[in-house]
Amino acid sequence: MAEHLSQSELDYPFKLLEYFNGFRVSKVIFSACELGVFDFLLASPDPVSARCVAERLQSSVDGTERLLDALVGIEILEVETGDDGTALYSSTDVANLYLAKGSAKSLHDMIIYQSQTVYPLWNNMVDAVREGKNQNQKTFGLPPEEIFNAIYRSEEETLKFMGLMNSSWVLDGHDIVTAFNLSGFSTVVDLGGCTGALARELVRAYPSCSVTVLDLPQVVQTAQKHFNQEHDSTAAVVFQEGDFFSGEIPSADLYVLARVIHDWPEEKCMTLLKKIYDNCKPGGGVLLVEALLFENRRGPVMAQIFSLNMLVQAEGRERPPSQYTAMFTHTGFTNVQVCRTGKSYDAILALR
């Protein structure tokens, strides 16, 4: 390890200390979102004092001031000094765009899920590594083999998870659907398409296509109740209740598997891919969306962390392109193409 470190890092481990405190930085942002700091600042026409923020949020002035100062330190908020010497706080453009609820690109739902669901699971990472299985039992008192019963254990938790998925595709969806030219596929089925956010990105990019979102009944019902967006393109997106493992899947030109395969062990994935192959029209294919590992095991760090999350929360893992290619070719697909987007999620297109 030492030969890869600069002399300055050996003298004083700045980078290691930054990593050690990373969880605290996360909690600063998570806490500010849960308290409503960014929403209040977005609505404030002028910079405001910590006391003003505390009164609005019904929090202590001292605690609020410390939180706001930390947000300034990590460059999410700005601070200036008023004429009377009072510190006045305001949001940065990044905070307004991604952290306030009202923004079209808000990641607020993603943050709430990370804070209230993923964070508690990661407290049991040591046990996950020792046991080689998820920590739903220890964290939430739910059977480890019933991962989506854990994820959808209540209406509140269902909404949190669906908010996470919706935020993901609001952020990364356009890059995913334009990673390849999909204009030749007229009918698309998004398996496990959740809120329909990625489906809507598809029909925006390819107006001539129609997309069916196939998901569990409670997910479809929740999506239509809470995530039904009024866009001109939504007429081309329809929802269908079903279980793509145990039930039938519609025939289509293209199937989308976005953050689905990484949930499951390889044997179950192969069964699903073979089922899709048998239903796929000749010339059709599968668009697989996952965070791709490097073949040399040297990253990307985010994909490696996502893979650990699959250990602690689900039954699967993230994989390098070669493993996905082998799974596709084994189930009959050909012409497997890989596109790294440079963002959180990458795309693989395999044809029948």
Side-chain angles (χ1 to χ4, degrees), residues 91-205:
S91 279
T92 61
D93 291 341
V94 168
N96 286 335
L97 185 62
Y98 292 113
L99 301 179
K101 287 182 184 178
S103 168
K105 288 191 173 182
S106 175
L107 301 180
H108 184 271
D109 289 344
M110 178 186 290
I111 289 167
I112 296 302
Y113 187 80
Q114 298 277 16
S115 180
Q116 298 180 1
T117 301
V118 175
Y119 203 92
L121 281 161
W122 277 63
N123 282 331
N124 295 312
M125 176 59 70
V126 170
D127 291 322
V129 171
R130 283 175 174 158
E131 299 165 8
K133 65 181 183 181
N134 70 59
Q135 295 301 299
N136 288 322
Q137 180 74 52
K138 181 166 289 186
T139 310
F140 305 120
L142 296 167
E145 65 274 8
E146 298 177 8
I147 64 172
F148 277 91
N149 285 344
I151 288 172
Y152 298 137
R153 60 189 179 275
S154 68
E155 182 177 5
E156 180 185 8
E157 291 302 319
T158 298
L159 276 171
K160 285 181 191 176
F161 178 75
M162 294 179 70
L164 163 74
M165 298 300 287
N166 199 69
S167 295
S168 297
W169 303 134
V170 167
L171 190 64
D172 288 302
H174 178 74
D175 293 284
I176 290 301
V177 301
T178 57
F180 303 100
N181 182 0
L182 305 177
S183 60
F185 302 107
S186 299
T187 58
V188 183
V189 172
D190 187 355
L191 298 172
C194 203
T195 67
L198 190 58
R200 283 187 281 272
E201 292 293 340
L202 269 164
V203 297
R204 287 191 195 102

Side-chain angles (χ1 to χ4, degrees), residues 25 28-29 38 65-79 89-90 92:
V25 175
V28 166
I29 301 171
F38 304 111
E65 186 174 56
R66 296 188 202 198
L67 180 64
L68 295 175
D69 285 343
L71 290 165
V72 171
I74 58 179
E75 301 182 349
I76 289 178
L77 296 185
E78 300 281 1
V79 67
Y89 301 88
S90 59
T92 61

Side-chain angles (χ1 to χ4, degrees), residues 262 289-293 302-303 306 318-319 324 344-346:
H262 75 167
V289 183
E290 298 288 2
L292 297 178
L293 296 169
M302 190 59 65
F306 287 169
E318 308 300 344
R319 299 173 174 89
Y324 288 118
S344 295
Y345 297 98
D346 306 302

